[in-house]
Amino acid sequence: MTFQLTGQIAENLGEEEQLVQGLCALLLGISIYFNDNSLENYVNEKLKQLIEKRIGTENFIEKLGFISKHELYSRASQKPQPNFPSPEYMIFDHEFTKLVQELEGVITKAIYKSSEEDKKEEEVKKTLEQHDNIVTHYKNMI
């Protein structure tokens, strides 16, 4: 599935396909941001390398931005109860636009975050877990 997403994102398609490319970039970005690295072939670093090689980081971020630049996205983001002339124009709802807006920032950070920063973050998490275990142990003793 990852290769299909990167293939769709990497292509230089017309304007009508930009929304699909943006949604594919969003899906791939979500899989990186929420990745727990439990599958060896799909760890964050490998996925980021795949993006860099097949799409290019800057190109990926640009394609991710296609969603928020789309006219129907803009309409849905302006009002919680948007008014569309017919149902086929309602591709997005207001809640989805808020979610996309939030995810764009965290996905961008996740894409640019280096493996060194990931390691430091993991070390901090482990330290916090150890600290929590010690506190729990002392609470149990008391």
Side-chain angles (χ1 to χ4, degrees):
M1 182 172 115
T2 305
F3 290 110
Q4 292 169 334
L5 287 174
T6 56
Q8 180 70 32
I9 298 165
E11 288 185 41
N12 289 322
L13 302 171
E15 232 179 88
E16 65 278 351
E17 294 294 320
Q18 287 182 345
L19 180 59
V20 173
Q21 288 183 308
L23 291 170
C24 289
L26 179 68
L27 184 58
L28 186 55
I30 288 170
S31 68
I32 289 172
Y33 180 70
F34 291 103
N35 190 349
D36 64 358
N37 293 321
S38 60
L39 297 174
E40 186 178 328
N41 291 332
Y42 297 100
V43 295
N44 275 343
E45 200 55 41
K46 286 186 179 182
L47 291 174
K48 289 181 202 178
Q49 287 173 359
L50 182 67
I51 287 172
E52 181 59 41
K53 288 178 184 173
R54 295 204 62 198
I55 305 166
T57 304
E58 295 299 321
N59 196 23
F60 176 83
I61 299 300
E62 179 186 353
K63 303 279 174 121
L64 182 61
F66 284 169
I67 300 170
S68 58
K69 292 176 185 167
H70 196 275
E71 178 188 347
L72 296 177
Y73 175 92
S74 297
R75 267 194 208 172
S77 68
Q78 291 171 359
K79 299 177 187 172
Q81 297 295 324
N83 188 10
F84 293 101
S86 63
E88 64 264 8
Y89 289 101
M90 186 162 174
I91 296 175
F92 305 113
D93 68 355
H94 187 70
E95 290 301 314
F96 181 78
T97 62
K98 289 182 354 186
L99 178 65
V100 168
Q101 186 177 18
E102 190 177 307
L103 286 172
E104 269 186 307
V106 296
I107 288 171
T108 301
K109 286 179 186 174
I111 294 296
Y112 284 118
K113 190 188 313 181
S114 70
S115 59
E116 304 252 336
E117 290 174 291
D118 284 337
K119 288 176 187 174
K120 286 180 185 175
E121 195 172 289
E122 285 298 316
E123 288 175 18
V124 168
K125 284 180 185 178
K126 286 179 184 177
T127 303
L128 288 174
E129 284 177 16
Q130 290 172 347
H131 179 352
D132 288 345
N133 289 338
I134 291 169
V135 169
T136 304
H137 176 72
Y138 283 120
K139 280 182 180 180
N140 290 337
M141 285 179 54
I142 294 174

